[in-house]
Every structure is written in structure tokens, then in C-alpha cells.
Amino acid sequence: MEQTSSSQNKAKILEYRHISSATGDIVKYIRDRKYKKTKSLATRWKKFNNIAMGGVEPNCIYTIAGISGSGKSSFVNTLETDLIDLNSDEEIVVLSFSFEMLSSRQIGRKLSYKMRKTTSELYSASDKGFMSEQELEVVQREADKIKRYPIYYVDTPGNVQEISETIKFFQSVIAKDKWLVVILDHTLLIKGSSNSESERSIIVELEKVLISAKKVGRTSILQISQMNRNIESPERLNNPSLHYPQRSDLSSSDAVFQASDYVIIIHRPEILGLLTYGYNNLPTKDMIYLHFAKNRDGESKILKFINDLKHNNLIEPEEVAENSAQQKIELEN
């Protein structure tokens, strides 16, 4: 039986396939997952992996959203190198459209985490004084390691067509036969093809491009999106039942939400002056919450993290408990 169309009839008929072909694909995928021939890219966060089918999946779009200062860029910056470090059995290439921040500053954040120094300390801009010569040597050693990563940055904002062509080039040339992770920071900084093009129409076209791109080979897409100011309104702040982010809080929410396989909203209620969060009175001091507002193959969940953004990191609470227990054992011994 013919599985796909043998001819597209000069582009008048879209490509089609019989259900038996699609069925064979999903059975193969299930079998390959069972025998670990196919897997997701693991992250450092166990609970994230458990909710998101093992980590970052191929052929999926992840939207990471949040208000300014919530930590969304740090979260994705962490994934850039983690996905490579924690999945050494996979050949991975990262294409990062770093429109909001210079790529050199992205490297600064990685050094901040690796050296357990704030970027202010790293840049000799804190009251602790200038870095020592020994510390500079450590910076150089860590930088020599970082520069070997297969990560490529695009600093200059482009329009949707330019982004599309760049992704296609990487899929067919730089990352051919490899796992391509595309990072876009962020959606509101994309240029229009003309001065009259609206922000909404730009994002709608972008999401169409990303949906097509994710279906090619093994491509995972992480896009950062901004939230609007609704969550900061007095009505929301004064009503615990309205504290949690909602779908309508996303900028151009319909297009982004529909295109995404996962919508993850990072929220720091502490920066809004909230002492407790939501109707469950969750703690806010030094806490960050990840709301899985959309999970195409699973449940919506809220994950709790401890804020370590000064070192460009999020810490799972269990890590703190484990470290404390280990320190206690060391002291007793």
C-alpha cells in the first residue's frame, strides 16, 4: 500500500500519508524510548525532567515566559551548556538568537555559575574589590573550556524570514544529522519585515516558522517570551486566587500558546511585594516558581525552586536538604 503521496501534483496537493505509516512511526518511537535508543535531553532539575517527558524532547517548542527579573534568561542560559554536559552520548548543536543580551555577557553568566561569583564580583564592580590574579587565571581556564562548546550565537536581531533561513542553514549544514537546539531570546525583539507590520503579526508568522522548523530532524526550540503587566495589577496582588500566572498574561498569548508544546512561566512573587503566594500561602522569600501552564502530553504543575540567580542558577529544594545532610555526615565523621 502506498504510504505517502508519490507526486505533489505540482504543489496543488499537499503531501499525505496513510495512517499505517504514522502508526509505524509512533510504535517505533515507543520501542526506541523503551530501549533508550531515543530519549529526551536531561536537565539538572529532576522534577523538571519528570514532568517534561525526561527533559527537553526533540520536535517540540518550549516557551519560557516571565516578567522582567524573573530569571527566564538565566534559566535558558543554564540549559545551553547543561544539555551538552549532561547528555554526552548525543551530538548537540545549539543555535542561540541572543537578541536581548550580547553573547559575551551570556558567557559571563556561565562563568558566574562555574566560579560561584556574582557577575558584579566577576567584573570587579562590587565592594569586594578587584579580582585577584589567581582568580583571573581560573576565569581563563573556565573560559577555555566554555569556548569548546558547539554553541553559535546570533547577536543582531533579524526578521522572521532571516530567522527561518538561519535555522534551515543550521539544520542542513552545521547541525546536519545532529540534535539542534534553537534558543530565541526573545520573541518581542524580532524585527518586522516592514515598519507597518504589527507586533502581533510578527509573532504569528514567527510561530508558523517555528512549528515548521521543529519537525525537521531532531530539533528542539526554546523561545523566551515576555509577560504583560496584568499580573502586577492591584486587583491581582490583593486576591490570592489570582496570584498565579494565566494564559492571558502572555504577550500575544493565543499564537504563542497554541504553537507551544510546553509553556513554562517562571515567576518570582517576591519582587511584586507578596509575602505569601496563592491561596495555599506558599513562601515567597528567595523562592522561584515554575508554572507548567501547558504540557501537551502531561499535567499542569507548579515546581518550587530556591533563588540562586546571583550565581545564575535555580536550586531544587531537595538539593539543599541533600547537601545539608552530607555536611552533617562529614561533621560527624
Side-chain angles (χ1 to χ4, degrees):
M1 181 181 293
E2 186 179 15
Q3 304 299 314
T4 60
S5 56
S6 58
S7 171
Q8 300 311 303
N9 194 19
K10 296 182 179 179
K12 292 181 181 179
I13 298 176
L14 293 173
E15 183 175 353
Y16 59 86
R17 63 196 307 211
H18 189 264
I19 190 173
S20 59
S21 176
T23 303
D25 285 350
I26 193 60
V27 171
K28 180 180 184 302
Y29 176 75
I30 292 170
R31 182 179 290 111
D32 287 349
R33 293 280 301 203
K34 171 178 170 56
Y35 294 112
K36 306 297 183 183
K37 293 181 179 179
T38 296
K39 62 183 184 65
S40 301
L41 298 178
T43 75
R44 70 175 64 174
W45 302 292
K46 294 178 181 178
K47 288 186 177 180
F48 182 98
N49 296 340
N50 288 338
I51 290 177
M53 205 73 72
V56 174
E57 290 188 272
N59 314 117
C60 284
I61 297 175
Y62 297 76
T63 294
I64 315 298
I67 61 176
S68 295
S70 59
K72 54 188 182 296
S73 293
S74 290
F75 178 80
V76 175
N77 179 278
T78 298
L79 289 175
E80 277 187 358
T81 45
D82 269 12
L83 294 181
I84 297 169
D85 288 338
L86 300 176
N87 302 277
S88 57
D89 56 334
E90 296 284 356
E91 286 191 281
I92 301 167
V93 172
V94 176
L95 169 60
S96 181
F97 294 94
S98 186
F99 294 162
E100 184 172 40
M101 182 182 297
L102 282 173
S103 52
S104 58
R105 294 303 177 102
Q106 297 279 23
I107 306 305
R109 287 185 166 186
K110 298 182 192 303
L111 289 169
S112 168
Y113 168 71
K114 289 181 178 295
M115 296 186 63
R116 298 298 296 170
K117 285 186 172 293
T118 67
T119 51
S120 180
E121 292 169 346
L122 201 61
Y123 303 152
S124 298
S126 74
D127 56 9
K128 294 185 178 181
F130 295 93
M131 295 194 64
S132 68
E133 291 298 323
Q134 291 82 2
E135 288 172 326
L136 274 177
E137 291 176 6
V138 176
V139 167
Q140 187 61 61
R141 285 200 299 270
E142 292 298 332
D144 287 342
K145 296 175 186 176
I146 289 173
K147 67 184 183 182
R148 298 190 183 99
Y149 283 93
I151 299 175
Y152 299 81
Y153 290 105
V154 178
D155 281 334
T156 306
N159 59 39
V160 173
Q161 183 61 32
E162 291 167 336
I163 290 170
S164 176
E165 292 302 320
T166 305
I167 293 174
K168 288 177 181 177
F169 172 75
F170 268 76
Q171 288 174 326
S172 61
V173 180
I174 305 295
K176 186 178 181 181
D177 300 324
K178 298 178 181 178
W179 194 321
L180 177 63
V181 177
V182 178
I183 297 174
L184 182 58
D185 186 6
H186 60 72
T187 57
L188 295 183
L189 296 178
I190 295 170
K191 294 166 58 178
S193 300
S194 66
N195 293 333
S196 61
E197 194 170 8
S198 70
E199 178 183 287
R200 173 173 167 68
S201 64
I202 293 171
I203 292 180
V204 167
E205 289 306 309
L206 171 69
E207 299 310 310
K208 291 178 182 177
V209 163
L210 297 184
I211 289 172
S212 295
K214 77 170 186 178
K215 297 180 179 180
V216 178
R218 289 183 298 168
T219 300
S220 303
I221 298 174
L222 288 76
Q223 61 174 344
I224 296 179
S225 183
Q226 194 75 13
M227 289 172 63
N228 56 44
R229 302 291 297 274
N230 291 344
I231 200 167
E232 302 177 41
S233 68
E235 179 188 4
R236 298 277 294 273
L237 295 177
N238 293 327
N239 187 345
S241 65
L242 298 177
H243 282 176
Y244 293 168
Q246 302 171 6
R247 172 176 175 170
S248 58
D249 293 325
L250 285 173
S251 297
S252 302
S253 58
D254 286 343
V256 171
F257 202 88
Q258 290 171 9
S260 303
D261 297 281
Y262 293 85
V263 175
I264 303 163
I265 300 176
I266 299 181
H267 196 39
R268 288 177 59 199
E270 183 179 22
I271 64 177
L272 298 181
L274 294 175
L275 300 179
T276 60
Y277 185 42
Y279 51 84
N280 288 329
N281 295 318
L282 298 172
T284 62
K285 184 170 176 54
D286 297 327
M287 301 304 299
I288 295 177
Y289 293 92
L290 262 64
H291 294 256
F292 278 71
K294 180 179 180 180
N295 183 346
R296 196 180 292 280
D297 293 312
E299 298 179 82
S300 297
K301 294 279 188 178
I302 303 176
L303 298 185
K304 180 169 62 176
F305 292 88
I306 295 171
N307 180 2
D308 188 34
L309 291 178
K310 67 180 181 180
H311 298 124
N312 293 283
N313 186 31
L314 304 181
I315 301 174
E316 285 185 311
E318 288 77 5
E319 293 180 37
V320 174
E322 289 170 5
N323 290 340
S324 297
Q326 183 61 37
Q327 290 171 1
K328 183 178 179 181
I329 291 171
E330 292 172 354
L331 288 172
E332 289 174 349
N333 293 337

